[in-house]
């Protein structure tokens, strides 16, 4: 299965997207529904709230009086913490129960209003943000829900900012038009990305690789890289020594293939193998037949790593199952020549415009030679990497 996090600010219209996904077969887990369920009349959660805040938070019928609870629970941070300590574990436990009950081939959509605020984004295969401008949202809240305009603005501004949402959004659905237009966009997303993504994860298949075509540098590559780094950190946990964005898309202003390359370094070769299943389940299946990088000539001594044979250049290559975001994950041993070179080469390109221009020329030539074939493109660059390796690792200036 895959887990899709769905969120958006109040009045943005995520309920339309949730309904569209559900109509097309999504397994929906609605955090708001769960939050009400765990404190329903007769529940252990409601009993815990009464014990903590008094029985005057109940209505005459024994249900939770939410305004009465809010008047007590939101007076200061201590009371808010007390409330959260009761409700959050119950919501988490119920969410886990529902996840465990989901079919093996499910696209699980978790509708979480505070997904961004709660720093939950890395724990999903994909995050979908529904957005509308503030004034449009105020209009909807006042006209459709009868809210006071000042209250609506205050609620909107208390939530995550647009920039915070963009930072975690794999998909940005604009809801400045009609509900029908939003539903159509959500349906296309479901058919063209979510369903194939789930099928790829379930079968352990990478998304189809695109051609080896250079495109103009995209200023959002850095943000996309950060998003994937955080996701990989969540997947790998303490098995990863470091996760970082490498390759051409990590170099501002450098034209490149539209593929985000990432490096995960681990303590040893056994850990490379141990990450195979977690990475595949997290959306990055292994690419078979690639067990290492091409060794480079040995350089110097001291801090410069010696290239002493293929065993020093071991790696596993994983690739994104998501058809909407090509990405490669290179899993290497921490401190190995290939791990050090990947990071040092990126840093040198950022710092050295001359080397950056040289590499761009090599890339353009390789792309022409490859005629769109990715493996040929990579192979065409290898002689230049052999030549540039000692220059990068010893700090020599380019010729």
């Amino acid at each position: 299965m895959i887990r899709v996090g769905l969120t958006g600010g109040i009045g943005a219209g995520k309920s339309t997207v949730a309904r569209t996904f559900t109509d097309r077969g999504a397994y929906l887990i609605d955090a708001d529904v769960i939050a009400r369920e765990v404190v329903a009349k007769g529940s252990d959660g409601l009993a815990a709230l009464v014990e903590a805040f008094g029985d005057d938070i109940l209505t005459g019928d024994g249900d939770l009086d939410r305004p009465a609870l809010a008047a007590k629970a939101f007076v200061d941070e201590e009371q808010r913490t007390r409330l959260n300590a009761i409700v959050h574990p119950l919501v988490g436990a119920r969410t886990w129960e529902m996840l465990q009950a989901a079919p093996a081939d499910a696209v699980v959509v978790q509708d979480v209003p505070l997904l961004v605020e709660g720093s939950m984004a890395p724990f999903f295969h994909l995050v979908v943000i529904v957005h509308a401008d503030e004034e449009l949202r105020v209009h909807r809240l006042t006209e459709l829900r009868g809210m006071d305009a000042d209250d609506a603005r205050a609620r909107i501004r208390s939530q995550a900012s647009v920039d915070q949402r963009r930072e975690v959004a794999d998909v940005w659905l604009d809801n400045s038009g009609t509900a029908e237009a939003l539903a159509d966009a959500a349906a296309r997303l479901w058919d063209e990305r979510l369903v194939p993504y789930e099928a790829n994860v379930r079968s352990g298949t990478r998304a189809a690789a695109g051609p080896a075509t250079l495109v103009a540098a995209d200023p959002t590559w850095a943000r996309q890289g950060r998003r994937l780094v955080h996701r990989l950190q969540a997947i790998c946990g303490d098995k990863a020594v470091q996760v970082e964005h490498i390759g051409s898309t990590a170099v501002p202003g450098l034209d490149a293939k539209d593929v985000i390359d990432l490096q995960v370094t681990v303590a040893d070769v056994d850990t490379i193998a141990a990450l195979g299943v977690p990475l595949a389940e997290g959306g990055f299946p292994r690419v078979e037949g690639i067990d290492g990088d091409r060794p480079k000539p040995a350089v110097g001594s001291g801090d410069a790593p010696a290239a002493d044979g293929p065993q020093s250049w071991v790696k596993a290559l994983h690739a994104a199952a998501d058809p909407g975001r090509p990405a490669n994950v290179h899993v290497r041993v921490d401190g190995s020549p290939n791990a050090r070179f990947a990071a040092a080469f990126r840093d040198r390109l950022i710092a050295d415009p001359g080397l950056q221009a040289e590499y761009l020329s090599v890339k353009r030539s390789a792309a022409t030679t490859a005629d769109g074939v990715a493996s040929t493109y990579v192979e065409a660059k290898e002689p230049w990497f052999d030549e540039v390796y000692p220059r990068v690792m010893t700090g020599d200036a380019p010729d």
Side-chain angles (χ1 to χ4, degrees):
M1 68 173 70
I2 63 170
R3 294 173 61 194
V4 177
L6 172 64
T7 193
I10 184 172
K14 66 181 174 62
S15 59
T16 297
V17 176
R19 185 165 53 251
T20 302
F21 287 164
T22 303
D23 288 346
R24 299 181 91 78
Y27 182 93
L28 182 66
I29 300 177
D30 189 322
D32 277 346
V33 171
I34 293 175
R36 290 191 292 271
E37 175 186 311
V38 298
V39 294
K41 183 177 179 178
S43 68
D44 291 341
L46 183 58
L49 288 178
V50 169
E51 182 178 353
F53 295 100
D55 58 12
D56 53 343
I57 64 167
L58 298 176
T59 67
D61 294 329
D63 294 306
L64 177 63
D65 185 333
R66 292 184 179 275
L69 174 63
K72 290 190 169 188
F74 293 103
V75 293
D76 56 40
E77 189 59 33
E78 180 181 351
Q79 297 306 312
R80 186 180 296 108
T81 300
R82 177 183 292 185
L83 172 65
N84 290 341
I86 295 169
V87 176
H88 287 183
L90 296 171
V91 171
R94 179 58 183 145
T95 299
W96 179 247
E97 287 177 3
M98 295 183 71
L99 282 170
Q100 294 300 103
D105 61 348
V107 176
V108 177
V109 175
Q110 291 182 237
D111 184 338
V112 186
L114 299 181
L115 183 151
V116 180
E117 293 85 345
S119 302
M120 304 176 208
F123 301 100
F124 295 95
H125 289 83
L126 201 79
V127 171
V128 178
I129 302 286
V130 185
H131 173 74
D133 290 338
E134 180 176 319
E135 288 308 310
L136 179 55
R137 291 160 65 191
V138 170
H139 173 75
R140 289 171 177 163
L141 292 170
T142 55
E143 294 297 316
L144 301 179
R145 300 194 195 180
M147 289 181 64
D148 174 78
D150 289 339
D151 182 36
R153 288 190 177 87
R155 291 279 297 276
I156 289 170
R157 292 169 186 174
S158 71
Q159 296 181 330
S161 68
V162 173
D163 286 344
Q164 288 171 321
R165 289 197 173 97
R166 284 200 181 276
E167 187 71 16
V168 304
D170 297 291
V171 178
W172 188 264
L173 292 179
D174 183 86
N175 187 23
S176 57
T178 64
E180 291 76 17
L182 179 62
D184 286 345
R188 288 194 302 273
L189 172 62
W190 177 270
D191 294 339
E192 298 171 8
R193 188 167 180 179
L194 300 185
V195 170
Y197 191 0
E198 187 283 323
N200 286 342
V201 169
R202 184 159 34 92
S203 64
T205 305
R206 69 180 298 179
T213 303
L214 299 185
V215 299
D218 183 344
T220 72
W221 279 337
R223 184 169 62 209
Q224 295 180 57
R226 289 193 297 271
R227 188 157 60 240
L228 291 175
V229 163
H230 294 152
R231 189 161 291 147
L232 287 168
Q233 288 171 332
I235 292 169
C236 298
D238 59 7
K239 290 184 174 66
V241 175
Q242 186 173 13
V243 183
E244 54 190 324
H245 185 188
I246 59 168
S248 296
T249 56
V251 181
L254 180 60
D255 295 353
K257 292 189 303 174
D258 186 19
V259 179
I260 305 295
D261 279 277
L262 304 117
Q263 175 168 270
V264 177
T265 56
V266 298
D268 49 44
V269 173
D270 289 342
T271 308
I272 292 179
L275 280 175
V277 171
L279 283 169
E281 292 179 347
F284 301 94
R286 183 162 184 172
V287 179
E288 298 298 331
I290 298 179
D291 300 311
D293 294 302
R294 170 170 154 165
K296 302 293 182 286
V299 294
S301 60
D303 288 339
D308 55 357
Q311 69 275 15
S312 297
W313 294 78
V314 170
K315 82 166 180 185
L317 177 64
H318 292 251
D322 177 6
R325 177 61 272 170
N328 294 323
V329 181
H330 308 262
V331 187
R332 299 178 170 115
V333 175
D334 188 54
S336 63
N338 49 353
R340 294 181 63 183
F341 178 54
F345 182 58
R346 173 205 59 206
D347 295 344
R348 180 69 177 272
L349 285 173
I350 293 172
D352 189 337
L355 186 64
Q356 188 177 136
E358 184 181 344
Y359 184 39
L360 181 57
S361 177
V362 169
K363 281 151 51 91
R364 286 172 175 164
S365 176
T368 300
T369 301
D371 194 26
V373 180
S375 59
T376 305
Y377 172 77
V378 172
E379 187 65 27
K381 296 189 297 179
E382 286 295 351
W384 184 79
F385 279 128
D386 290 343
E387 187 274 327
V388 83
Y389 176 76
R391 288 162 49 188
V392 169
M393 301 312 292
T394 60
D396 290 345
D399 297 334

